[in-house]
Amino acid sequence: MPASSSQKPYRVGRSRTGLGLFATKPIKKGTKIIRYFGPLLDSKKKDEDAIENKYLFELTNRWTIDGSIRENVARYINHACRPNAESDVKPRKRKVFIRAIKDIEPGDEINYDYGTDYFKAYLKPIGCKCDACEKKRKKKRAEARAERLRLKERAERKAKRDAEKRATQRKAGAKKAAKANGKLGNGKSLNGKALNGKALNSKHLNGHSLTAAAGRRAAPSKRGAVRVLQA
């Protein structure tokens, strides 16, 4: 890790994405914090145009700064979608400075927006980890948890209502079945046991047997038939 002078208002330290540059003193808005520097690459030269790394800073269509050298402490400044600094590019001088666009307090990480092309090529595939994007992800996760909890509670309430409804239906069905299977209604039985003291299944009817009564009525007819045969 490169050493940072105590006279400088920044230091290299651990960040969410690895290493980052942090303020050690208050930095006022508009202050030039650090210069981004390195060898100049000429795109008209094939060998230089073929160089690829994550620290290339394009000044013009022709000139690009290769900031991968260790002396370039500015290369440790990370990207942020809502930064507290910006790149101040001076194409004619072929120089780039990182300038504060907000008041930065000691301990704050210094960051700037790397631009759309860099974001699409390097950050979007793995997900941006700046504070703004982390807050968005946390908010989405919290909303998703709240939605899952809401759906779970709604399902539990529905299950409880359904269980209560089934219990009520079972109770009503049991009551109806009990009434149909032997419960007396107005003192009358539907199974032939008693109906105001009268049996429907041949036992008695006002104290008289239905079979005996039928036999007495049939006897005269039988004797009359015998007299006819004797004559």
Side-chain angles (χ1 to χ4, degrees), residues 1 24 26 28 31-32 64 66-67 81 105 118 126 129 156:
M1 181 185 299
T24 57
K28 294 295 183 181
T31 302
K32 288 182 180 180
T64 297
D66 181 0
C81 294
E105 299 299 326
Y118 189 98
I126 61 174
K129 296 182 180 180
E156 288 175 348

Side-chain angles (χ1 to χ4, degrees), residues 179-185 187-195 200-201:
K179 185 176 180 181
N181 291 330
K183 293 293 183 180
L184 294 177
K188 299 178 181 179
S189 172
L190 301 179
N191 292 327
K193 292 294 180 67
L195 182 60
L200 301 180
N201 292 330

Side-chain angles (χ1 to χ4, degrees), residues 152-164 166:
K152 181 181 178 181
E153 290 175 348
R154 187 171 70 177
E156 288 175 348
R157 289 195 298 269
K158 184 178 183 300
K160 184 178 179 181
R161 288 195 302 267
D162 291 344
E164 290 173 349
R166 288 193 296 270

Side-chain angles (χ1 to χ4, degrees), residues 4-12 21-25 27 33-35 73 110:
S4 298
S5 170
S6 60
Q7 300 300 317
K8 302 295 183 180
Y10 52 77
R11 66 175 178 83
V12 177
L21 202 66
F22 294 83
T24 57
K25 300 177 182 179
I27 301 174
I33 303 171
I34 191 173
R35 180 185 170 192
V73 178
I110 301 168

